[in-house]
Amino acid sequence: MAEKQSQFSLVPKIVNGGIAGIIGVTCVFPLDLVKTRLQNQQIGPNGERMYSSMLDAFKKTYKAEGFLGMYRGSAVNILLITPEKAIKLAANDFFRYHLQTKERTLPMFRQMLAGGLAGLCQIVVTTPMELLKIQMQDAGRVAAQALLVNKTVQRTSATELAIGLLKQHGIFGLYKGTGATMLRDVSFSVIYFPLFANLNDLGPRKSDGSGEAVFWCSFLSGCVAGSLAALAVNPFDVIKTRLQALTKAEGERSYTGIGNAFVNILRYEGPTAFFKGGACRMIVIAPLFGIAQTVYYLGVAEKLLGYKRG
């Protein structure tokens, strides 16, 4: 009976994940775009670079491409963030339920295992979403670099890009960088979910007897856990972003895999390169997961669908 209740409650949890993803992405997408451009830019032989900081990247992007330019690639992200967030949050809840001990407790190792399995489940959606999003986000930077050497880069849409990849490589064309995506998302979830659960348990409970955390506690727990996990896995995110950038600016290096990317980034740009966009990613992830956990724990979908919370 308990298992049936778990399966029954899965529907609103999936809807909650989708709602949270759409709200979160709409709020933080410009910062995510800046993060992608900072991570993809490579330092020239004389130390030259297009962007000197997060603020500099934001200013130059806004000046060159305007407000709508800051949301380039957001359509594919908003379209796919619903299943991505839904899978991540619902899978974590599912695995936490089934990994409980006979005493209905969840030791730290099992919490980490549940998070890692949730991260593994989401890459089926995350990899193509990230691949298409990165091309759209980085297009302005690549085009600006091309103009400096009197070249032009043809603009394309996410739909055209997806069709082109499918024609050339089949469905696997949309899964370039799967290994790096898995490395980032599994390690992120291993850190994030147990950290969130433990922080959330420290706060005050609602007065309705449900035993759930109050609004601000879930929000802050999501923000703190998300930002710390994001910083911890930023090196994997840099490698993933570089591997998934299909179009490079003039003179930029290409990579053959995770190991090759790690060695070459370290050799030519130093260890600090692995934390490019780190502060930006923390600022992006904190509200993204704060909003996600708040929507999830408030039970927005349960109220909309008329489900009784279990």
PDB file of all heavy atoms in Angstrom, residues 82-120:
ATOM      1  N   THR A  82      11.499  21.293 -17.962  1.00  0.00           N
ATOM      2  CA  THR A  82      10.385  20.650 -17.264  1.00  0.00           C
ATOM      3  C   THR A  82      10.654  19.163 -17.040  1.00  0.00           C
ATOM      4  O   THR A  82      10.648  18.693 -15.896  1.00  0.00           O
ATOM      5  CB  THR A  82       9.062  20.864 -18.021  1.00  0.00           C
ATOM      6  OG1 THR A  82       8.802  22.261 -18.111  1.00  0.00           O
ATOM      7  CG2 THR A  82       7.909  20.172 -17.305  1.00  0.00           C
ATOM      8  N   PRO A  83      10.917  18.387 -18.100  1.00  0.00           N
ATOM      9  CA  PRO A  83      11.226  16.970 -17.844  1.00  0.00           C
ATOM     10  C   PRO A  83      12.526  16.782 -17.080  1.00  0.00           C
ATOM     11  O   PRO A  83      12.642  15.869 -16.259  1.00  0.00           O
ATOM     12  CB  PRO A  83      11.310  16.358 -19.249  1.00  0.00           C
ATOM     13  CG  PRO A  83      11.530  17.500 -20.177  1.00  0.00           C
ATOM     14  CD  PRO A  83      10.837  18.670 -19.545  1.00  0.00           C
ATOM     15  N   GLU A  84      13.517  17.670 -17.309  1.00  0.00           N
ATOM     16  CA  GLU A  84      14.816  17.525 -16.621  1.00  0.00           C
ATOM     17  C   GLU A  84      14.678  17.681 -15.112  1.00  0.00           C
ATOM     18  O   GLU A  84      15.115  16.841 -14.333  1.00  0.00           O
ATOM     19  CB  GLU A  84      15.802  18.561 -17.188  1.00  0.00           C
ATOM     20  CG  GLU A  84      17.241  18.335 -16.778  1.00  0.00           C
ATOM     21  CD  GLU A  84      17.713  19.262 -15.686  1.00  0.00           C
ATOM     22  OE1 GLU A  84      16.892  20.027 -15.141  1.00  0.00           O
ATOM     23  OE2 GLU A  84      18.895  19.209 -15.357  1.00  0.00           O
ATOM     24  N   LYS A  85      14.034  18.769 -14.693  1.00  0.00           N
ATOM     25  CA  LYS A  85      13.845  19.014 -13.259  1.00  0.00           C
ATOM     26  C   LYS A  85      12.883  17.996 -12.662  1.00  0.00           C
ATOM     27  O   LYS A  85      13.052  17.548 -11.526  1.00  0.00           O
ATOM     28  CB  LYS A  85      13.306  20.432 -13.030  1.00  0.00           C
ATOM     29  CG  LYS A  85      14.376  21.502 -13.058  1.00  0.00           C
ATOM     30  CD  LYS A  85      15.227  21.457 -11.800  1.00  0.00           C
ATOM     31  CE  LYS A  85      16.392  22.433 -11.912  1.00  0.00           C
ATOM     32  NZ  LYS A  85      17.424  22.027 -12.857  1.00  0.00           N
ATOM     33  N   ALA A  86      11.866  17.645 -13.431  1.00  0.00           N
ATOM     34  CA  ALA A  86      10.892  16.670 -12.942  1.00  0.00           C
ATOM     35  C   ALA A  86      11.557  15.327 -12.677  1.00  0.00           C
ATOM     36  O   ALA A  86      11.328  14.689 -11.643  1.00  0.00           O
ATOM     37  CB  ALA A  86       9.763  16.509 -13.956  1.00  0.00           C
ATOM     38  N   ILE A  87      12.396  14.878 -13.616  1.00  0.00           N
ATOM     39  CA  ILE A  87      13.105  13.604 -13.453  1.00  0.00           C
ATOM     40  C   ILE A  87      14.037  13.668 -12.247  1.00  0.00           C
ATOM     41  O   ILE A  87      14.053  12.758 -11.406  1.00  0.00           O
ATOM     42  CB  ILE A  87      13.905  13.256 -14.726  1.00  0.00           C
ATOM     43  CG1 ILE A  87      12.954  12.883 -15.873  1.00  0.00           C
ATOM     44  CG2 ILE A  87      14.873  12.104 -14.458  1.00  0.00           C
ATOM     45  CD1 ILE A  87      13.623  12.763 -17.222  1.00  0.00           C
ATOM     46  N   LYS A  88      14.800  14.749 -12.137  1.00  0.00           N
ATOM     47  CA  LYS A  88      15.769  14.878 -11.042  1.00  0.00           C
ATOM     48  C   LYS A  88      15.082  14.825  -9.672  1.00  0.00           C
ATOM     49  O   LYS A  88      15.463  14.036  -8.797  1.00  0.00           O
ATOM     50  CB  LYS A  88      16.546  16.187 -11.167  1.00  0.00           C
ATOM     51  CG  LYS A  88      17.586  16.400 -10.067  1.00  0.00           C
ATOM     52  CD  LYS A  88      18.063  17.842  -9.998  1.00  0.00           C
ATOM     53  CE  LYS A  88      19.042  18.194 -11.062  1.00  0.00           C
ATOM     54  NZ  LYS A  88      20.411  17.742 -10.743  1.00  0.00           N
ATOM     55  N   LEU A  89      14.061  15.664  -9.477  1.00  0.00           N
ATOM     56  CA  LEU A  89      13.415  15.747  -8.169  1.00  0.00           C
ATOM     57  C   LEU A  89      12.591  14.501  -7.849  1.00  0.00           C
ATOM     58  O   LEU A  89      12.641  13.977  -6.733  1.00  0.00           O
ATOM     59  CB  LEU A  89      12.528  16.992  -8.104  1.00  0.00           C
ATOM     60  CG  LEU A  89      13.275  18.335  -8.152  1.00  0.00           C
ATOM     61  CD1 LEU A  89      12.277  19.488  -8.234  1.00  0.00           C
ATOM     62  CD2 LEU A  89      14.171  18.516  -6.942  1.00  0.00           C
ATOM     63  N   ALA A  90      11.845  14.013  -8.839  1.00  0.00           N
ATOM     64  CA  ALA A  90      11.010  12.833  -8.606  1.00  0.00           C
ATOM     65  C   ALA A  90      11.871  11.584  -8.404  1.00  0.00           C
ATOM     66  O   ALA A  90      11.562  10.742  -7.553  1.00  0.00           O
ATOM     67  CB  ALA A  90      10.050  12.634  -9.774  1.00  0.00           C
ATOM     68  N   ALA A  91      12.953  11.459  -9.186  1.00  0.00           N
ATOM     69  CA  ALA A  91      13.834  10.287  -9.053  1.00  0.00           C
ATOM     70  C   ALA A  91      14.511  10.274  -7.689  1.00  0.00           C
ATOM     71  O   ALA A  91      14.625   9.223  -7.053  1.00  0.00           O
ATOM     72  CB  ALA A  91      14.884  10.278 -10.167  1.00  0.00           C
ATOM     73  N   ASN A  92      14.953  11.435  -7.224  1.00  0.00           N
ATOM     74  CA  ASN A  92      15.582  11.490  -5.907  1.00  0.00           C
ATOM     75  C   ASN A  92      14.601  11.055  -4.827  1.00  0.00           C
ATOM     76  O   ASN A  92      14.937  10.274  -3.929  1.00  0.00           O
ATOM     77  CB  ASN A  92      16.083  12.903  -5.610  1.00  0.00           C
ATOM     78  CG  ASN A  92      16.679  13.009  -4.219  1.00  0.00           C
ATOM     79  OD1 ASN A  92      17.721  12.432  -3.927  1.00  0.00           O
ATOM     80  ND2 ASN A  92      16.019  13.744  -3.344  1.00  0.00           N
ATOM     81  N   ASP A  93      13.367  11.537  -4.926  1.00  0.00           N
ATOM     82  CA  ASP A  93      12.344  11.168  -3.949  1.00  0.00           C
ATOM     83  C   ASP A  93      12.055   9.669  -4.017  1.00  0.00           C
ATOM     84  O   ASP A  93      11.911   9.003  -2.986  1.00  0.00           O
ATOM     85  CB  ASP A  93      11.062  11.958  -4.223  1.00  0.00           C
ATOM     86  CG  ASP A  93      10.142  11.995  -3.019  1.00  0.00           C
ATOM     87  OD1 ASP A  93      10.438  12.738  -2.070  1.00  0.00           O
ATOM     88  OD2 ASP A  93       9.143  11.263  -3.022  1.00  0.00           O
ATOM     89  N   PHE A  94      12.002   9.129  -5.221  1.00  0.00           N
ATOM     90  CA  PHE A  94      11.744   7.703  -5.433  1.00  0.00           C
ATOM     91  C   PHE A  94      12.853   6.847  -4.817  1.00  0.00           C
ATOM     92  O   PHE A  94      12.580   5.881  -4.091  1.00  0.00           O
ATOM     93  CB  PHE A  94      11.636   7.434  -6.942  1.00  0.00           C
ATOM     94  CG  PHE A  94      11.485   5.982  -7.301  1.00  0.00           C
ATOM     95  CD1 PHE A  94      10.238   5.370  -7.277  1.00  0.00           C
ATOM     96  CD2 PHE A  94      12.596   5.231  -7.670  1.00  0.00           C
ATOM     97  CE1 PHE A  94      10.090   4.031  -7.611  1.00  0.00           C
ATOM     98  CE2 PHE A  94      12.456   3.887  -7.999  1.00  0.00           C
ATOM     99  CZ  PHE A  94      11.211   3.286  -7.971  1.00  0.00           C
ATOM    100  N   PHE A  95      14.097   7.206  -5.110  1.00  0.00           N
ATOM    101  CA  PHE A  95      15.218   6.413  -4.601  1.00  0.00           C
ATOM    102  C   PHE A  95      15.383   6.559  -3.090  1.00  0.00           C
ATOM    103  O   PHE A  95      15.746   5.599  -2.409  1.00  0.00           O
ATOM    104  CB  PHE A  95      16.516   6.801  -5.320  1.00  0.00           C
ATOM    105  CG  PHE A  95      16.583   6.320  -6.749  1.00  0.00           C
ATOM    106  CD1 PHE A  95      16.742   7.221  -7.795  1.00  0.00           C
ATOM    107  CD2 PHE A  95      16.465   4.973  -7.051  1.00  0.00           C
ATOM    108  CE1 PHE A  95      16.788   6.789  -9.108  1.00  0.00           C
ATOM    109  CE2 PHE A  95      16.505   4.522  -8.365  1.00  0.00           C
ATOM    110  CZ  PHE A  95      16.668   5.432  -9.392  1.00  0.00           C
ATOM    111  N   ARG A  96      15.105   7.748  -2.565  1.00  0.00           N
ATOM    112  CA  ARG A  96      15.171   7.933  -1.108  1.00  0.00           C
ATOM    113  C   ARG A  96      14.133   7.038  -0.411  1.00  0.00           C
ATOM    114  O   ARG A  96      14.404   6.488   0.650  1.00  0.00           O
ATOM    115  CB  ARG A  96      14.935   9.405  -0.736  1.00  0.00           C
ATOM    116  CG  ARG A  96      16.105  10.318  -1.027  1.00  0.00           C
ATOM    117  CD  ARG A  96      15.791  11.758  -0.677  1.00  0.00           C
ATOM    118  NE  ARG A  96      15.736  11.940   0.760  1.00  0.00           N
ATOM    119  CZ  ARG A  96      16.786  12.239   1.527  1.00  0.00           C
ATOM    120  NH1 ARG A  96      17.996  12.374   0.984  1.00  0.00           N
ATOM    121  NH2 ARG A  96      16.656  12.408   2.823  1.00  0.00           N
ATOM    122  N   TYR A  97      12.975   6.904  -1.028  1.00  0.00           N
ATOM    123  CA  TYR A  97      11.917   6.065  -0.458  1.00  0.00           C
ATOM    124  C   TYR A  97      12.339   4.595  -0.453  1.00  0.00           C
ATOM    125  O   TYR A  97      12.201   3.887   0.548  1.00  0.00           O
ATOM    126  CB  TYR A  97      10.621   6.256  -1.254  1.00  0.00           C
ATOM    127  CG  TYR A  97       9.505   5.342  -0.813  1.00  0.00           C
ATOM    128  CD1 TYR A  97       8.721   5.661   0.289  1.00  0.00           C
ATOM    129  CD2 TYR A  97       9.243   4.150  -1.498  1.00  0.00           C
ATOM    130  CE1 TYR A  97       7.692   4.811   0.699  1.00  0.00           C
ATOM    131  CE2 TYR A  97       8.226   3.301  -1.092  1.00  0.00           C
ATOM    132  CZ  TYR A  97       7.453   3.639   0.001  1.00  0.00           C
ATOM    133  OH  TYR A  97       6.452   2.797   0.408  1.00  0.00           O
ATOM    134  N   HIS A  98      12.871   4.131  -1.581  1.00  0.00           N
ATOM    135  CA  HIS A  98      13.190   2.703  -1.718  1.00  0.00           C
ATOM    136  C   HIS A  98      14.525   2.314  -1.097  1.00  0.00           C
ATOM    137  O   HIS A  98      14.793   1.109  -0.928  1.00  0.00           O
ATOM    138  CB  HIS A  98      13.157   2.306  -3.196  1.00  0.00           C
ATOM    139  CG  HIS A  98      11.774   2.213  -3.756  1.00  0.00           C
ATOM    140  ND1 HIS A  98      10.925   1.163  -3.495  1.00  0.00           N
ATOM    141  CD2 HIS A  98      11.069   3.076  -4.529  1.00  0.00           C
ATOM    142  CE1 HIS A  98       9.768   1.361  -4.098  1.00  0.00           C
ATOM    143  NE2 HIS A  98       9.828   2.514  -4.737  1.00  0.00           N
ATOM    144  N   LEU A  99      15.362   3.274  -0.755  1.00  0.00           N
ATOM    145  CA  LEU A  99      16.653   2.970  -0.131  1.00  0.00           C
ATOM    146  C   LEU A  99      16.614   3.074   1.389  1.00  0.00           C
ATOM    147  O   LEU A  99      17.630   2.926   2.052  1.00  0.00           O
ATOM    148  CB  LEU A  99      17.745   3.904  -0.683  1.00  0.00           C
ATOM    149  CG  LEU A  99      18.214   3.614  -2.106  1.00  0.00           C
ATOM    150  CD1 LEU A  99      19.138   4.723  -2.608  1.00  0.00           C
ATOM    151  CD2 LEU A  99      18.926   2.267  -2.195  1.00  0.00           C
ATOM    152  N   GLN A 100      15.433   3.326   1.949  1.00  0.00           N
ATOM    153  CA  GLN A 100      15.314   3.398   3.398  1.00  0.00           C
ATOM    154  C   GLN A 100      15.611   2.032   4.034  1.00  0.00           C
ATOM    155  O   GLN A 100      15.362   0.986   3.433  1.00  0.00           O
ATOM    156  CB  GLN A 100      13.896   3.825   3.801  1.00  0.00           C
ATOM    157  CG  GLN A 100      13.586   5.266   3.484  1.00  0.00           C
ATOM    158  CD  GLN A 100      12.177   5.634   3.918  1.00  0.00           C
ATOM    159  OE1 GLN A 100      11.978   6.152   5.005  1.00  0.00           O
ATOM    160  NE2 GLN A 100      11.209   5.361   3.066  1.00  0.00           N
ATOM    161  N   THR A 101      16.139   2.068   5.251  1.00  0.00           N
ATOM    162  CA  THR A 101      16.381   0.841   5.997  1.00  0.00           C
ATOM    163  C   THR A 101      15.060   0.306   6.547  1.00  0.00           C
ATOM    164  O   THR A 101      14.011   0.947   6.405  1.00  0.00           O
ATOM    165  CB  THR A 101      17.344   1.108   7.172  1.00  0.00           C
ATOM    166  OG1 THR A 101      16.713   2.034   8.065  1.00  0.00           O
ATOM    167  CG2 THR A 101      18.663   1.700   6.683  1.00  0.00           C
ATOM    168  N   LYS A 102      15.121  -0.856   7.190  1.00  0.00           N
ATOM    169  CA  LYS A 102      13.909  -1.438   7.791  1.00  0.00           C
ATOM    170  C   LYS A 102      13.339  -0.531   8.877  1.00  0.00           C
ATOM    171  O   LYS A 102      12.149  -0.554   9.160  1.00  0.00           O
ATOM    172  CB  LYS A 102      14.238  -2.805   8.388  1.00  0.00           C
ATOM    173  CG  LYS A 102      14.548  -3.860   7.327  1.00  0.00           C
ATOM    174  CD  LYS A 102      14.894  -5.195   7.967  1.00  0.00           C
ATOM    175  CE  LYS A 102      15.219  -6.235   6.881  1.00  0.00           C
ATOM    176  NZ  LYS A 102      15.614  -7.537   7.478  1.00  0.00           N
ATOM    177  N   GLU A 103      14.228   0.288   9.469  1.00  0.00           N
ATOM    178  CA  GLU A 103      13.791   1.216  10.519  1.00  0.00           C
ATOM    179  C   GLU A 103      13.275   2.530   9.940  1.00  0.00           C
ATOM    180  O   GLU A 103      13.029   3.491  10.653  1.00  0.00           O
ATOM    181  CB  GLU A 103      14.948   1.509  11.487  1.00  0.00           C
ATOM    182  CG  GLU A 103      15.418   0.301  12.297  1.00  0.00           C
ATOM    183  CD  GLU A 103      16.254  -0.681  11.476  1.00  0.00           C
ATOM    184  OE1 GLU A 103      16.952  -0.202  10.544  1.00  0.00           O
ATOM    185  OE2 GLU A 103      16.180  -1.895  11.731  1.00  0.00           O
ATOM    186  N   ARG A 104      13.149   2.595   8.611  1.00  0.00           N
ATOM    187  CA  ARG A 104      12.667   3.780   7.879  1.00  0.00           C
ATOM    188  C   ARG A 104      13.613   4.974   8.024  1.00  0.00           C
ATOM    189  O   ARG A 104      13.191   6.130   7.994  1.00  0.00           O
ATOM    190  CB  ARG A 104      11.258   4.198   8.336  1.00  0.00           C
ATOM    191  CG  ARG A 104      10.245   3.077   8.444  1.00  0.00           C
ATOM    192  CD  ARG A 104      10.082   2.295   7.176  1.00  0.00           C
ATOM    193  NE  ARG A 104       9.378   3.028   6.136  1.00  0.00           N
ATOM    194  CZ  ARG A 104       9.240   2.591   4.868  1.00  0.00           C
ATOM    195  NH1 ARG A 104       9.778   1.441   4.494  1.00  0.00           N
ATOM    196  NH2 ARG A 104       8.584   3.311   3.993  1.00  0.00           N
ATOM    197  N   THR A 105      14.901   4.694   8.189  1.00  0.00           N
ATOM    198  CA  THR A 105      15.903   5.764   8.227  1.00  0.00           C
ATOM    199  C   THR A 105      16.712   5.733   6.928  1.00  0.00           C
ATOM    200  O   THR A 105      16.670   4.744   6.190  1.00  0.00           O
ATOM    201  CB  THR A 105      16.864   5.597   9.422  1.00  0.00           C
ATOM    202  OG1 THR A 105      17.557   4.344   9.299  1.00  0.00           O
ATOM    203  CG2 THR A 105      16.093   5.638  10.744  1.00  0.00           C
ATOM    204  N   LEU A 106      17.453   6.799   6.685  1.00  0.00           N
ATOM    205  CA  LEU A 106      18.240   6.899   5.463  1.00  0.00           C
ATOM    206  C   LEU A 106      19.650   7.391   5.816  1.00  0.00           C
ATOM    207  O   LEU A 106      19.883   8.592   5.942  1.00  0.00           O
ATOM    208  CB  LEU A 106      17.572   7.868   4.477  1.00  0.00           C
ATOM    209  CG  LEU A 106      18.007   7.777   3.010  1.00  0.00           C
ATOM    210  CD1 LEU A 106      17.618   6.436   2.409  1.00  0.00           C
ATOM    211  CD2 LEU A 106      17.369   8.900   2.201  1.00  0.00           C
ATOM    212  N   PRO A 107      20.591   6.472   6.005  1.00  0.00           N
ATOM    213  CA  PRO A 107      21.966   6.861   6.333  1.00  0.00           C
ATOM    214  C   PRO A 107      22.560   7.741   5.232  1.00  0.00           C
ATOM    215  O   PRO A 107      22.104   7.718   4.086  1.00  0.00           O
ATOM    216  CB  PRO A 107      22.706   5.520   6.419  1.00  0.00           C
ATOM    217  CG  PRO A 107      21.636   4.498   6.659  1.00  0.00           C
ATOM    218  CD  PRO A 107      20.421   5.017   5.943  1.00  0.00           C
ATOM    219  N   MET A 108      23.617   8.481   5.587  1.00  0.00           N
ATOM    220  CA  MET A 108      24.221   9.441   4.654  1.00  0.00           C
ATOM    221  C   MET A 108      24.638   8.792   3.338  1.00  0.00           C
ATOM    222  O   MET A 108      24.415   9.347   2.256  1.00  0.00           O
ATOM    223  CB  MET A 108      25.431  10.112   5.315  1.00  0.00           C
ATOM    224  CG  MET A 108      26.134  11.140   4.433  1.00  0.00           C
ATOM    225  SD  MET A 108      25.032  12.462   3.849  1.00  0.00           S
ATOM    226  CE  MET A 108      24.749  13.349   5.377  1.00  0.00           C
ATOM    227  N   PHE A 109      25.246   7.598   3.402  1.00  0.00           N
ATOM    228  CA  PHE A 109      25.686   6.941   2.168  1.00  0.00           C
ATOM    229  C   PHE A 109      24.502   6.680   1.245  1.00  0.00           C
ATOM    230  O   PHE A 109      24.592   6.859   0.027  1.00  0.00           O
ATOM    231  CB  PHE A 109      26.406   5.620   2.476  1.00  0.00           C
ATOM    232  CG  PHE A 109      26.751   4.831   1.239  1.00  0.00           C
ATOM    233  CD1 PHE A 109      27.784   5.233   0.405  1.00  0.00           C
ATOM    234  CD2 PHE A 109      25.999   3.712   0.872  1.00  0.00           C
ATOM    235  CE1 PHE A 109      28.088   4.520  -0.758  1.00  0.00           C
ATOM    236  CE2 PHE A 109      26.287   3.000  -0.285  1.00  0.00           C
ATOM    237  CZ  PHE A 109      27.342   3.402  -1.096  1.00  0.00           C
ATOM    238  N   ARG A 110      23.383   6.263   1.818  1.00  0.00           N
ATOM    239  CA  ARG A 110      22.193   5.992   0.994  1.00  0.00           C
ATOM    240  C   ARG A 110      21.577   7.277   0.461  1.00  0.00           C
ATOM    241  O   ARG A 110      20.995   7.286  -0.623  1.00  0.00           O
ATOM    242  CB  ARG A 110      21.168   5.190   1.808  1.00  0.00           C
ATOM    243  CG  ARG A 110      21.659   3.804   2.183  1.00  0.00           C
ATOM    244  CD  ARG A 110      20.527   2.915   2.666  1.00  0.00           C
ATOM    245  NE  ARG A 110      21.015   1.592   3.032  1.00  0.00           N
ATOM    246  CZ  ARG A 110      20.264   0.515   3.163  1.00  0.00           C
ATOM    247  NH1 ARG A 110      18.953   0.608   2.944  1.00  0.00           N
ATOM    248  NH2 ARG A 110      20.767  -0.648   3.496  1.00  0.00           N
ATOM    249  N   GLN A 111      21.694   8.356   1.216  1.00  0.00           N
ATOM    250  CA  GLN A 111      21.237   9.657   0.723  1.00  0.00           C
ATOM    251  C   GLN A 111      22.058  10.063  -0.505  1.00  0.00           C
ATOM    252  O   GLN A 111      21.521  10.557  -1.497  1.00  0.00           O
ATOM    253  CB  GLN A 111      21.386  10.721   1.806  1.00  0.00           C
ATOM    254  CG  GLN A 111      20.428  10.578   2.967  1.00  0.00           C
ATOM    255  CD  GLN A 111      20.517  11.740   3.942  1.00  0.00           C
ATOM    256  OE1 GLN A 111      20.607  12.894   3.526  1.00  0.00           O
ATOM    257  NE2 GLN A 111      20.513  11.453   5.222  1.00  0.00           N
ATOM    258  N   MET A 112      23.376   9.860  -0.413  1.00  0.00           N
ATOM    259  CA  MET A 112      24.267  10.196  -1.530  1.00  0.00           C
ATOM    260  C   MET A 112      23.999   9.299  -2.725  1.00  0.00           C
ATOM    261  O   MET A 112      24.014   9.753  -3.874  1.00  0.00           O
ATOM    262  CB  MET A 112      25.721  10.082  -1.080  1.00  0.00           C
ATOM    263  CG  MET A 112      26.101  11.091  -0.004  1.00  0.00           C
ATOM    264  SD  MET A 112      27.744  10.824   0.689  1.00  0.00           S
ATOM    265  CE  MET A 112      28.762  11.405  -0.683  1.00  0.00           C
ATOM    266  N   LEU A 113      23.725   8.022  -2.463  1.00  0.00           N
ATOM    267  CA  LEU A 113      23.420   7.078  -3.545  1.00  0.00           C
ATOM    268  C   LEU A 113      22.126   7.472  -4.249  1.00  0.00           C
ATOM    269  O   LEU A 113      22.047   7.452  -5.483  1.00  0.00           O
ATOM    270  CB  LEU A 113      23.304   5.658  -2.974  1.00  0.00           C
ATOM    271  CG  LEU A 113      22.987   4.538  -3.981  1.00  0.00           C
ATOM    272  CD1 LEU A 113      24.072   4.451  -5.054  1.00  0.00           C
ATOM    273  CD2 LEU A 113      22.848   3.195  -3.254  1.00  0.00           C
ATOM    274  N   ALA A 114      21.116   7.852  -3.469  1.00  0.00           N
ATOM    275  CA  ALA A 114      19.843   8.288  -4.056  1.00  0.00           C
ATOM    276  C   ALA A 114      20.051   9.519  -4.937  1.00  0.00           C
ATOM    277  O   ALA A 114      19.514   9.596  -6.060  1.00  0.00           O
ATOM    278  CB  ALA A 114      18.831   8.600  -2.953  1.00  0.00           C
ATOM    279  N   GLY A 115      20.830  10.478  -4.447  1.00  0.00           N
ATOM    280  CA  GLY A 115      21.122  11.680  -5.231  1.00  0.00           C
ATOM    281  C   GLY A 115      21.871  11.365  -6.505  1.00  0.00           C
ATOM    282  O   GLY A 115      21.558  11.888  -7.582  1.00  0.00           O
ATOM    283  N   GLY A 116      22.885  10.493  -6.394  1.00  0.00           N
ATOM    284  CA  GLY A 116      23.665  10.114  -7.577  1.00  0.00           C
ATOM    285  C   GLY A 116      22.828   9.421  -8.629  1.00  0.00           C
ATOM    286  O   GLY A 116      22.964   9.679  -9.831  1.00  0.00           O
ATOM    287  N   LEU A 117      21.942   8.525  -8.209  1.00  0.00           N
ATOM    288  CA  LEU A 117      21.053   7.818  -9.142  1.00  0.00           C
ATOM    289  C   LEU A 117      20.076   8.790  -9.807  1.00  0.00           C
ATOM    290  O   LEU A 117      19.755   8.644 -10.993  1.00  0.00           O
ATOM    291  CB  LEU A 117      20.294   6.714  -8.411  1.00  0.00           C
ATOM    292  CG  LEU A 117      21.137   5.501  -7.981  1.00  0.00           C
ATOM    293  CD1 LEU A 117      20.343   4.593  -7.048  1.00  0.00           C
ATOM    294  CD2 LEU A 117      21.625   4.719  -9.197  1.00  0.00           C
ATOM    295  N   ALA A 118      19.622   9.790  -9.043  1.00  0.00           N
ATOM    296  CA  ALA A 118      18.729  10.808  -9.616  1.00  0.00           C
ATOM    297  C   ALA A 118      19.464  11.603 -10.691  1.00  0.00           C
ATOM    298  O   ALA A 118      18.914  11.885 -11.764  1.00  0.00           O
ATOM    299  CB  ALA A 118      18.227  11.744  -8.519  1.00  0.00           C
ATOM    300  N   GLY A 119      20.725  11.967 -10.398  1.00  0.00           N
ATOM    301  CA  GLY A 119      21.541  12.688 -11.381  1.00  0.00           C
ATOM    302  C   GLY A 119      21.783  11.863 -12.630  1.00  0.00           C
ATOM    303  O   GLY A 119      21.792  12.385 -13.750  1.00  0.00           O
ATOM    304  N   LEU A 120      21.952  10.559 -12.454  1.00  0.00           N
ATOM    305  CA  LEU A 120      22.169   9.659 -13.585  1.00  0.00           C
ATOM    306  C   LEU A 120      20.929   9.577 -14.467  1.00  0.00           C
ATOM    307  O   LEU A 120      21.023   9.556 -15.703  1.00  0.00           O
ATOM    308  CB  LEU A 120      22.530   8.263 -13.055  1.00  0.00           C
ATOM    309  CG  LEU A 120      23.018   7.229 -14.078  1.00  0.00           C
ATOM    310  CD1 LEU A 120      24.323   7.681 -14.727  1.00  0.00           C
ATOM    311  CD2 LEU A 120      23.208   5.880 -13.405  1.00  0.00           C
TER     312      LEU A 120
END
